[in-house]
Amino acid sequence: MNIVSDFVLNQWHHVRMVKKISAFSSQIMAAFLGFAGVAHFVVPERFNPLIPYWLPGNATFYTYASGVAELAVAIGLFIPRTRRLAGWGAVLLFLAVYPGNIYMAYDWRDREISQQLVAYLRLPFQIPLIWWAVSIARKTPRE
């Protein structure tokens, strides 16, 4: 083989590997979001305290709405044709729930140190989630 054909074959192999990694990565995120989405319906009382009091309406409404959003994004991430759009949807979802995480950190400031750590560690954890969703959206080819 010559240098050009070796380069082309290596590039094709790289593209196939990126697609496989992107698909696997999106499936992991989909499972994570699917589990979290179901949990919003099974144990809403665990999520309701995270809803800022200043939002209008009932906290359960926001818990269920975020559960629906998480399930919708999860389903979209499993389907190759909708994976790119669902990746951007995950970015928006993680940005949308961030104020709730800030509220939780503030609201839990007087709790036991173990609970405070949970609340405070959620804040920086959102950054890699957002980056992960952006990478899925960018690496998924347009169809």
Side-chain angles (χ1 to χ4, degrees):
M1 296 217 152
N2 64 32
I3 294 173
V4 173
S5 62
D6 286 346
F7 176 77
V8 170
L9 287 175
N10 284 335
Q11 290 303 310
W12 177 247
H13 176 73
H14 174 72
V15 168
R16 287 180 46 212
M17 287 301 295
V18 167
K19 283 184 180 181
K20 286 180 184 177
I21 291 169
S22 180
F24 181 68
S25 178
S26 65
Q27 291 167 357
I28 291 171
M29 181 177 278
F32 168 74
L33 287 171
F35 178 79
V38 168
H40 280 69
F41 292 96
V42 175
V43 285
E45 63 277 0
R46 302 233 9 178
F47 296 94
N48 288 344
L50 307 179
I51 307 299
Y53 70 90
W54 43 262
L55 286 174
N58 187 332
T60 304
F61 167 78
Y62 294 101
T63 296
Y64 289 159
S66 61
V68 167
E70 287 173 340
L71 290 170
V73 170
I75 291 167
L77 287 170
F78 273 121
I79 302 169
R81 195 170 2 147
T82 59
R83 186 169 294 142
R84 182 178 174 86
L85 181 62
W88 291 118
V91 170
L92 293 175
L93 176 64
F94 295 140
L95 291 172
V97 300
Y98 199 69
N101 292 333
I102 293 170
Y103 175 75
M104 178 184 178
Y106 173 77
D107 193 44
W108 288 21
R109 68 191 180 282
D110 296 326
R111 293 192 180 191
E112 293 179 23
I113 190 68
S114 61
Q115 291 179 325
Q116 288 179 28
L117 285 174
V118 168
Y120 297 145
L121 290 176
R122 287 175 71 108
L123 296 174
F125 184 63
Q126 291 294 113
I127 296 166
L129 286 176
I130 293 166
W131 174 82
W132 185 14
V134 166
S135 70
I136 289 170
R138 285 187 176 168
K139 290 179 182 175
T140 300
R142 295 175 193 232
E143 291 195 19

